[in-house]
């Protein structure tokens, strides 16, 4: 059972809890200067990954990387906006899912076999 007591103090974090409950994995990291950064990922069946990088409630990036680690989708904004955008992305195997590379993927080390597949 997870401890969600931080949600009482920071209700905005409920959006991250929604992702956590949907099978996402989170890797807390610290940035130079000690600013905490939370990184999360969801690994799809074809090794496509959705990623979220939270530097602050209003400083969040969501992206999707293809199996070659090329970024095919990216959205920047507040926590709620980015979570909504990630949740609205279609399954990577559906015809209308983003596929065209827009840049090389964000470097986020993901342990082998970590994360589930939807």
């Amino acid at each position: 059972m997870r401890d969600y007591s931080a949600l009482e103090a920071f209700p905005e974090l409920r959006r991250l809890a929604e992702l956590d409950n949907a099978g996402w994995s989170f890797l807390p990291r610290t940035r130079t200067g000690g600013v905490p950064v939370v990184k999360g990922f969801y690994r799809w069946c074809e090794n496509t990954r959705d990623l979220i990088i939270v530097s602050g409630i209003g400083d969040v990036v969501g992206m999707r990387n293809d199996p070659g680690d090329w970024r095919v989708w990216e959205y920047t904004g507040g926590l709620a906006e980015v979570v909504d955008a990630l949740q609205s992305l279609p399954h990577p195997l559906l015809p209308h899912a983003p596929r065209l590379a827009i840049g090389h993927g964000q470097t986020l080390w993901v342990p082998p076999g970590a994360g589930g597949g939807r």
Side-chain angles (χ1 to χ4, degrees):
M1 180 167 196
R2 296 182 189 256
D3 179 12
Y4 291 108
S5 58
L7 299 179
E8 292 178 24
F10 303 100
E12 304 89 1
L13 295 178
R14 288 191 193 284
R15 302 311 308 268
L16 284 182
E18 289 174 18
L19 293 178
D20 185 45
N21 290 333
W24 282 64
S25 298
F26 287 92
L27 309 166
R29 299 281 189 246
T30 53
R31 212 189 254 178
T32 304
V35 177
V37 175
V38 176
K39 295 181 179 186
F41 69 94
Y42 186 90
R43 187 185 310 260
W44 290 90
C45 56
E46 297 294 316
N47 205 28
T48 296
R49 290 174 296 151
D50 289 347
L51 307 159
I52 189 167
I53 301 170
V54 182
S55 300
I57 299 300
D59 185 11
V60 182
V61 178
M63 62 188 77
R64 176 170 284 175
N65 290 351
D66 69 11
D69 209 25
W70 287 94
R71 190 172 338 116
V72 296
W73 177 89
E74 183 174 324
Y75 189 90
T76 303
L79 181 60
E81 297 171 278
V82 173
V83 170
D84 286 343
L86 283 164
Q87 289 177 329
S88 68
L89 275 173
H91 188 287
L93 297 179
L94 290 176
H96 55 285
R99 285 190 181 74
L100 296 176
I102 57 175
H104 202 268
Q106 175 76 18
T107 55
L108 172 61
W109 179 81
V110 177
R118 285 190 241 183

